[in-house]
Amino acid sequence: LQADLESREYDVSAGGGMVTVKINGKREILHIDIQPDIVDPDDIETLSDVITAAVNEAIKKVDTTSESEMSKITGGINMPGMF
């Protein structure tokens, strides 16, 4: 199951779909897609915030999915260090 979870890929978006992050189960960012409409040279801070939100949400999705799948096998027993 661990190998299956690590090989999975997830697409997560933020900013109303303006930034999309592709991440795998190992928490490695595979790709970041940025829509041109969100790029404003006078407001880089907003772009940075949206990218940060997308990456954090992607990591959260990997963790949540892994925990959910592993709990099906372990019966909800907490096994530190498994992930």
Side-chain angles (χ1 to χ4, degrees):
L1 177 62
Q2 189 67 36
D4 175 53
L5 289 170
E6 290 178 354
S7 69
R8 292 184 188 184
E9 294 182 358
Y10 307 87
D11 289 311
V12 178
S13 63
M18 298 303 283
V19 174
T20 303
V21 172
K22 181 179 283 271
I23 189 171
N24 67 19
K26 295 179 185 179
R27 295 188 200 119
E28 298 169 333
I29 303 300
L30 303 174
H31 181 74
I32 297 177
D33 182 52
I34 302 170
Q35 297 298 312
D37 294 346
I38 197 167
V39 180
D40 179 355
D42 296 325
D43 188 13
I44 297 299
E45 185 176 338
T46 296
L47 177 59
S48 178
D49 290 346
V50 174
I51 291 170
T52 300
V55 169
N56 286 334
E57 187 62 32
I59 292 168
K60 182 178 175 182
K61 185 170 188 171
V62 170
D63 290 345
T64 300
T65 301
S66 294
E67 289 171 12
S68 174
E69 293 294 320
M70 292 304 282
S71 72
K72 291 177 185 176
I73 291 178
T74 64
I77 298 172
N78 185 13
M79 301 177 82
M82 281 288 291
F83 309 113

